[in-house]
Amino acid sequence: MKPIIETDRCDLTNLHADDEEPFVQLHVDEDVRRYLGGAKDEATTRSGFIGLVEAKPESSFWAVRLKEDGAFIGIISLGAHHDGFDTEISYQFLPWFWGQGYATETVKAVVDYAFENLKLQRVIAETQTANRASCRLLERTGLRLERTVIRFGAEQAIYVISDMPE
């Protein structure tokens, strides 16, 4: 499968049917979903997966795979933010791939893709302030804290990166 975005160690591709089990595992895992509203129901996740696999090829929802063996390690996407006008980058990785720099590497690549290929001028990310690892990752990749809001029953940090001169 030809990657849509490449990094040194990862390929970002469309989801395919073979990704169903690791995709479901990602969404039902309590650790992965701790700051994302909790683990999801398996049946609902499987149903949602089918829609993502059938999405148009130009979809901005990608599987993250290791270059070395094509293993599915997570997902990353660009989509509409809750505010209705910003584009948000979101990501989830299987726990055994945490702390190895894959998320940092792929977030940087997707932000670059958003600016260079999609001609976006601004990308945001939202994470719970309690998710210190995600906050640090976003800061490492060049996003800066813009504001905090209370949403989903928790304090959320809104990070932003802009392609426009400040």
Side-chain angles (χ1 to χ4, degrees):
M1 176 172 283
K2 184 175 178 353
I4 295 162
I5 301 172
E6 293 184 68
T7 71
D8 289 342
R9 300 180 297 159
C10 299
D11 288 333
L12 280 63
T13 70
N14 290 320
L15 285 172
H16 54 71
D18 293 346
D19 297 326
E20 184 171 4
E21 291 312 314
F23 180 88
V24 169
Q25 187 172 18
L26 193 63
H27 287 81
V28 301
D29 186 288
E30 289 289 340
D31 289 331
V32 172
R33 302 287 308 169
R34 176 176 296 129
Y35 301 108
L36 297 169
K40 290 188 174 182
D41 172 71
E42 184 175 335
T44 304
T45 300
R46 287 186 190 283
S47 176
F49 174 79
I50 294 166
L52 290 170
V53 169
E54 294 171 353
K56 294 183 171 127
E58 65 273 8
S59 166
S60 296
F61 188 99
W62 304 289
V64 179
R65 303 177 194 289
L66 294 178
K67 276 189 184 285
E68 66 188 43
D69 62 6
F72 176 105
I73 66 170
I75 54 175
I76 192 164
S77 65
L78 288 169
H81 183 254
H82 304 288
D83 65 16
F85 55 85
D86 279 312
T87 299
E88 179 180 14
I89 187 167
S90 299
Y91 48 88
Q92 295 176 58
F93 286 79
L94 292 166
W96 43 96
F97 295 101
W98 293 356
Q100 298 176 51
Y102 294 116
T104 300
E105 188 175 312
T106 56
V107 167
K108 283 181 183 176
V110 170
V111 167
D112 289 346
Y113 177 86
F115 292 150
E116 295 167 15
N117 295 75
L118 302 178
K119 305 300 182 203
L120 298 179
Q121 295 183 332
R122 175 178 155 105
V123 174
I124 69 169
E126 181 171 334
T127 188
Q128 284 188 22
T129 55
N131 188 348
R132 293 303 311 146
S134 191
C135 292
R136 286 189 305 271
L137 180 153
L138 294 168
E139 291 163 2
R140 272 195 312 276
T141 57
L143 284 88
R144 63 177 171 71
L145 180 64
E146 183 178 72
R147 68 187 185 281
T148 59
V149 298
I150 302 299
R151 191 181 347 258
F152 312 120
E155 185 179 61
Q156 307 287 327
I158 309 295
Y159 284 85
V160 63
I161 188 167
S162 175
D163 195 33
M164 299 179 291
E166 302 226 1

